[in-house]
Amino acid sequence: MTSQDQNSGFRSDDNGQSSFLGKLLTIDSKLGNQDVEGLKFLCRDCISHRQLEKSSSASDIFDHLLEEELLSEEDPFFLAELLYIIKQKSLLRYLNQSKEQVESLLPTRGRVSLFRNLLYELSESIGSENLKDMIFLLRESIPKIQMTSLGFLAYLEKQGLIDEDNLRLLEDLCRRVVPNLMRKIEKYKREKASQVVTPPVDREPESLHQRKEEPFSRSDIEELLEALPALPKGSWQDQPSRSSGSLRTSFSLVSTEMLGASPATLPSETSTEKASVYRMDRKHRGHCVVVNNHKFTSMSDRPGTDKDAEHLRHVFEWLGFSVRVYDNVTKGHLDNVLQEYKCHPGHSDGDCFVFCVLTHGKFGAVYSSDGTLVPIQEIMSHFTAQQCPGLAHKPKLFFIQACQGEEIQPPVFIEADAVNPERVPPSLQDSIPDEADFLLGLATVPGYVSFRHVEKGSWYIQSLCNHLKSLVPRNEDILSILTAVNNDVSQQADREGTKKQMPQPAFTLRKKLVFPVPQEKL
């Protein structure tokens, strides 16, 4: 490693850490490309996929682990575990660890999941010829690019074709190509079945201010809004703002990384419905949180929002959720609510989690009642598998009733193939975490206002609740319901017919989400 690489690899303000960082650089210099690939794969549950994709060396990964406080001079065990798994046990000495010490601590301190350990072990036993055979069997679903065995398994996981509870496709491949690997899979099943699920024990509370990544910084938002032309205030809009009459006519469901992924099965097999639907038969449906901001310290009130909050409570209680409504939530109160539900022990026995925010907003962010702008991504990041293990592999739904900009969507009275084609609509991809099982439902597309009737409530929330009531009994899945909501809201307009709205969902759901039909009628 060059001196330039050493200077750019790690950031530290404490000279006392230089010795420890030097040891990490030494470890980095002794790891090859295959080792780096292994480290990236083993860290998929604790470092965002975007960051891992940008990591080209072990030092890049170490840097992320340091930032996430998963690695320190005082506690280097997680790195020791990683080196042990990739069979670089000789490097443990740089961390003052031994093979025996790591083995004795793994049962109580190990962070790498059984599932990830299994895939890594399998990759080591899948030779190049075996890999060719597996890719051939899935030739309709696998891109024609060169892959390692580990990259192949990572691709299957990324596309939602395998997960810790669904190894059917992997078992079929192994039976046909490498039958002796079935022993490893059976061992994994036995160990997983014997695991005792315990409530997650978290470190000291983490403030929203401490997050390292934000999809949109304050300066980004201000720069975007300054670029929008000014119009008079709209009497219906959720955010006191200037508005533009520009039109955007291209709207769609956005699925980060999941669009275009078709279910892959072996030629003689078909997937069962059960494997493609989220489980909804645990002890309770889950928790639903509603943040309802009506009054603000420095912004206009939001009359009609209490109607939305009551409707959400009514519908989600009907669906079996335990619902809590929090009114006029300050930034400090929001931190406490997020911390409470991030560590809630009830998640382990629940099927799902819902978080609703009714407030003023801007592009990619929402306002607390005391006027603090909070990025949506920061709210959602509290419920990733790493931060909230009790919700791992379970659907997490976020519904945001707030403006996402200052433009107003006027109605279209003539057809056009394109309007302002040079303007590319912003993507929601940066707002949702880089992992599966999230859904974000926005009342409006990024850059535009949303509307709320001062007595009846908002167009979006009222439509969402009404369609849940009518379509859940028909066994419709959540994406079909949100498509119906899109259609309904898009057809609404104010009295003058000059203001329109289009909601937009973004999701990384791996399966269909179908709420069981409640026994009681609503």
Side-chain angles (χ1 to χ4, degrees):
M1 181 174 260
T2 66
S3 59
Q4 182 180 357
D5 290 332
Q6 292 181 26
N7 290 334
S8 62
F10 300 106
R11 297 180 294 277
S12 174
D13 295 327
D14 185 358
N15 291 331
Q17 279 195 309
S18 59
S19 176
F20 176 63
L21 298 182
K23 292 178 181 178
L24 295 184
L25 288 175
T26 300
I27 294 173
D28 169 79
S29 68
K30 296 180 180 296
L31 296 176
N33 292 336
Q34 188 173 347
D35 297 317
V36 173
E37 183 188 19
L39 290 175
K40 290 168 69 171
F41 179 79
L42 294 172
C43 289
R44 282 172 64 91
D45 296 326
C46 56
I47 299 176
S48 76
H49 296 178
R50 188 186 299 110
Q51 289 176 320
L52 288 174
E53 287 173 0
K54 293 179 180 178
S55 300
S56 58
S57 65
S59 64
D60 290 338
I61 300 171
F62 300 162
D63 201 21
H64 294 312
L65 293 178
L66 289 165
E67 287 183 355
E68 295 294 332
E69 297 182 1
L70 296 171
L71 174 62
S72 67
E73 184 174 12
E74 295 75 22
D75 185 10
F77 182 77
F78 183 40
L79 178 55
E81 178 186 3
L82 296 173
L83 294 175
Y84 178 87
I85 294 173
I86 66 173
K87 296 180 173 53
Q88 287 288 354
K89 301 179 180 66
S90 63
L91 301 181
L92 293 174
R93 67 180 186 276
Y94 294 104
L95 303 176
N96 298 320
Q97 301 273 334
S98 67
K99 171 188 171 184
E100 291 73 25
Q101 286 176 310
V102 174
E103 289 174 343
S104 66
L105 291 173
L106 276 176
T108 56
R109 298 203 57 201
R111 281 184 174 271
V112 180
S113 68
L114 288 175
F115 175 63
R116 201 148 303 287
N117 260 307
L118 169 69
L119 295 188
Y120 187 81
E121 286 185 23
L122 292 177
S123 73
E124 292 184 303
S125 302
I126 298 175
S128 57
E129 292 303 316
N130 301 143
L131 179 60
K132 286 181 182 178
D133 291 342
M134 289 183 174
I135 292 176
F136 176 79
L137 291 171
L138 297 178
R139 60 191 179 279
E140 299 299 326
S141 305
I142 301 296
K144 295 180 179 180
I145 58 175
Q146 191 167 0
M147 287 185 177
T148 63
S149 55
L150 192 58
F152 171 72
L153 296 176
Y155 180 82
L156 296 183
E157 181 191 10
K158 183 178 180 180
Q159 297 304 316
L161 303 176
I162 59 173
D163 60 46
E164 66 173 2
D165 297 315
N166 177 23
L167 296 177
R168 182 173 178 180
L169 177 65
L170 190 56
E171 289 176 292
D172 289 336
L173 289 170
C174 288
R175 284 195 191 98
R176 295 191 179 200
V177 180
V178 200
N180 64 307
L181 293 186
M182 288 302 300
R183 291 196 299 270
K184 294 182 183 292
I185 296 177
E186 293 303 324
K187 179 185 175 185
Y188 161 79
K189 288 182 174 181
R190 290 193 300 271
E191 291 179 348
K192 186 175 184 299
S194 66
Q195 275 188 330
V196 179
V197 179
T198 56
V201 179
D202 206 13
R203 297 193 299 272
E204 59 186 75
E206 178 181 19
S207 166
L208 285 174
H209 293 298
Q210 295 174 333
R211 298 295 303 174
K212 301 296 189 300
E213 275 196 342
E214 297 181 2
F216 309 105
S217 67
R218 285 178 180 269
S219 60
D220 290 335
I221 295 170
E222 291 169 358
E223 182 179 346
L224 174 71
L225 296 177
E226 287 173 0
L228 299 177
L231 280 183
K233 292 182 180 178
S235 58
W236 280 63
Q237 64 192 62
D238 237 353
Q239 178 195 341
S241 62
R242 299 165 301 175
S243 306
S244 164
S246 299
L247 169 69
R248 178 174 302 156
T249 58
S250 175
F251 310 112
S252 63
L253 292 175
V254 179
S255 170
T256 66
E257 301 182 340
M258 306 305 290
L259 282 179
S262 57
T265 57
L266 297 180
S268 61
E269 303 248 342
T270 58
S271 301
T272 63
E273 277 192 29
K274 186 174 180 181
S276 63
V277 179
Y278 281 106
R279 179 181 170 186
M280 286 282 154
D281 60 356
R282 295 180 178 86
K283 290 183 179 179
H284 66 93
R285 188 71 62 241
H287 292 277
C288 173
V289 178
V290 180
V291 172
N292 176 40
N293 289 339
H294 183 174
K295 295 184 179 297
F296 296 78
T297 57
S298 58
M299 306 172 77
S300 62
D301 291 349
R302 299 181 61 253
T305 188
D306 294 339
K307 190 78 172 179
D308 285 345
E310 185 57 34
H311 209 170
L312 286 169
R313 179 201 290 275
H314 197 42
V315 170
F316 279 103
E317 284 182 347
W318 173 66
L319 291 174
F321 286 85
S322 299
V323 181
R324 288 284 303 275
V325 178
Y326 297 89
D327 295 319
N328 304 322
V329 179
T330 64
K331 175 60 166 59
H333 189 191
L334 179 61
D335 288 349
N336 292 336
V337 170
L338 291 170
Q339 189 63 33
E340 175 185 352
Y341 282 92
K342 166 185 167 182
C343 304
H344 203 296
H347 290 323
S348 59
D349 293 325
D351 296 322
C352 183
F353 177 67
V354 177
F355 198 99
C356 307
V357 181
L358 316 175
T359 188
H360 290 308
K362 280 187 179 180
F363 186 38
V366 293
Y367 281 104
S368 61
S369 66
D370 55 353
T372 302
L373 195 61
V374 182
I376 295 170
Q377 190 271 347
E378 287 194 353
I379 295 174
M380 299 179 73
S381 67
H382 283 71
F383 303 100
T384 62
Q386 174 67 17
Q387 295 292 326
C388 185
L391 288 176
H393 308 294
K394 299 176 184 179
K396 295 163 278 286
L397 314 181
F398 294 78
F399 297 106
I400 310 294
Q401 168 55 42
C403 291
Q404 287 300 292
E406 301 186 349
E407 295 194 49
I408 289 179
Q409 299 169 13
V412 180
F413 300 107
I414 59 173
E415 293 184 349
D417 287 332
V419 178
N420 293 337
E422 73 279 1
R423 297 187 60 182
V424 180
S427 170
L428 295 187
Q429 183 166 345
D430 287 335
S431 289
I432 57 179
D434 283 332
E435 62 174 68
D437 309 311
F438 277 87
L439 181 144
L440 169 61
L442 285 180
T444 184
V445 294
Y448 285 79
V449 299
S450 59
F451 299 100
R452 169 181 31 82
H453 193 284
V454 296
E455 294 176 353
K456 298 178 182 179
S458 66
W459 296 356
Y460 177 64
I461 294 299
Q462 294 302 313
S463 180
L464 173 65
C465 292
N466 289 334
H467 281 86
L468 285 170
K469 288 190 293 184
S470 62
L471 297 182
V472 165
R474 301 181 192 177
N475 293 306
E476 295 282 0
D477 68 282
I478 190 65
L479 295 182
S480 297
I481 293 172
L482 292 178
T483 301
V485 171
N486 271 19
N487 181 58
D488 178 36
V489 174
S490 70
Q491 296 181 39
Q492 299 190 43
D494 67 336
R495 290 179 182 177
E496 292 76 26
T498 59
K499 300 180 178 71
K500 303 282 286 184
Q501 180 179 328
M502 173 61 79
Q504 182 173 353
F507 60 92
T508 58
L509 299 178
R510 297 173 293 113
K511 307 176 184 180
K512 284 188 176 182
L513 172 54
V514 181
F515 289 119
V517 179
Q519 294 182 351
E520 299 179 0
K521 290 187 177 181
L522 190 59

